[in-house]
Amino acid sequence: AQSVAQPEDQVNVAEGNPLTVKCTYSVSGNPYLFWYVQYPNRGLQFLLKYITGDNLVKGSYGFEAEFNKSQTSFHLKKPSALVSDSALYFCAVRDGSRGSTLGRLYFGRGTQLTVWP
Amino acid sequence: DAGITQSPRHKVTETGTPVTLRCHQTENHRYMYWYRQDPGHGLRLIHYSYGVKDTDKGEVSDGYSVSRSKTEDFLLTLESATSSQTSVYFCAVGQGNYGYTFGSGTRLTVV
């Protein structure tokens, strides 16, 4: 079975400081991993994904994420946070193995990121 | 952009009435999904579809039904709305290795 855990409901950082939003996953096959961001009263927007290749992937708005297979983690990072990064962040996983059905994503519960000036 | 439109954007309805939410896409995607979003629960899958007239249940399907008579439209019906179904509902289309693209959501209030 597939599942995602985001252990922190909230992350608070000061503007200009680095930020990390944590995600761990469980999947029976090859993990396809995603991060989405949701701004107030909006739908979820794609940030970045890991399918294969380099463990460090770069995405939109200066975000990056590091895939760690041994720790089954896919933490979202940014070297210098902006107030405008304040939003709700969701990690998601899909089983990328051949034969997995429907390409369905399993989502974590979300982490509210607040960046204060 | 997968050209996803959800309607209505907001709706207030009375307990016991049926309600239908519509998701419309313009790019012929095969897979479509309905989620609800509630504080503390994140996104929970209600129903999904893998083609015209091919649908299946998600984790929280009780009290909901869906229909997909055309590729572009995926309808979610609350058969008899209850206050516990007050939520924000999101439609998504699957784009293979690119994950999902989401609609803007429908905020439903059942009074």
Side-chain angles (χ1 to χ4, degrees):
Chain A
Q2 282 71 239
S3 66
V4 173
Q6 293 182 240
E8 300 157 319
D9 291 336
Q10 292 203 354
V11 170
N12 301 310
V13 299
E15 189 173 35
N17 283 0
L19 69 88
T20 299
V21 182
K22 296 179 180 178
C23 171
T24 59
Y25 66 90
S26 174
V27 67
S28 52
N30 297 324
Y32 287 10
L33 294 153
F34 302 83
W35 276 101
Y36 291 84
V37 59
Q38 184 181 31
Y39 298 102
N41 300 312
R42 303 288 297 275
L44 278 71
Q45 300 175 29
F46 171 81
L47 264 184
L48 51 79
K49 64 178 171 74
Y50 171 84
I51 303 297
T52 187
D54 287 342
N55 290 341
L56 185 65
V57 294
K58 296 186 183 297
S60 308
Y61 313 121
F63 283 93
E64 57 190 29
E66 186 167 12
F67 170 63
N68 187 317
K69 187 173 183 179
S70 63
Q71 296 185 5
T72 62
S73 67
F74 190 56
H75 300 330
L76 181 69
K77 299 180 180 182
K78 188 173 182 181
S80 179
L82 300 173
V83 172
S84 57
D85 293 329
S86 298
L88 186 58
Y89 290 81
F90 289 94
C91 181
V93 69
R94 173 194 160 195
D95 184 347
S97 302
R98 172 178 260 184
S100 65
T101 58
L102 304 177
R104 177 189 161 180
L105 294 183
Y106 292 80
F107 289 86
R109 292 191 173 187
T111 298
Q112 180 66 49
L113 173 67
T114 301
V115 182
W116 73 83
Chain B
D1 189 330
I4 303 172
T5 304
Q6 290 187 235
S7 59
R9 290 297 310 277
H10 302 273
K11 187 170 181 66
V12 179
T13 192
E14 293 186 350
T15 298
T17 61
V19 177
T20 295
L21 309 182
R22 182 185 185 226
C23 178
H24 178 78
Q25 55 126 338
T26 59
E27 297 191 0
N28 208 38
H29 292 287
R30 181 179 171 191
Y31 301 140
M32 299 185 74
Y33 306 84
W34 275 108
Y35 285 86
R36 60 178 288 175
Q37 183 179 20
D38 304 287
H41 293 277
L43 291 168
R44 293 183 289 176
L45 182 66
I46 306 171
H47 280 279
Y48 55 95
S49 170
Y50 37 99
V52 172
K53 297 185 179 180
D54 285 327
T55 64
D56 208 342
K57 297 178 179 180
E59 293 101 10
V60 292
S61 60
D62 286 349
Y64 301 94
S65 62
V66 289
S67 66
R68 192 160 178 209
S69 58
K70 299 184 290 185
T71 298
E72 58 265 35
D73 288 325
F74 192 31
L75 304 180
L76 176 70
T77 297
L78 288 65
E79 295 144 6
S80 177
T82 68
S83 59
S84 64
Q85 293 175 312
T86 293
S87 186
V88 180
Y89 292 85
F90 286 101
C91 173
V93 297
Q95 298 189 280
N97 291 347
Y98 296 94
Y100 291 175
T101 296
F102 285 85
S104 298
T106 294
R107 185 174 296 275
L108 177 68
T109 303
V110 183
V111 298

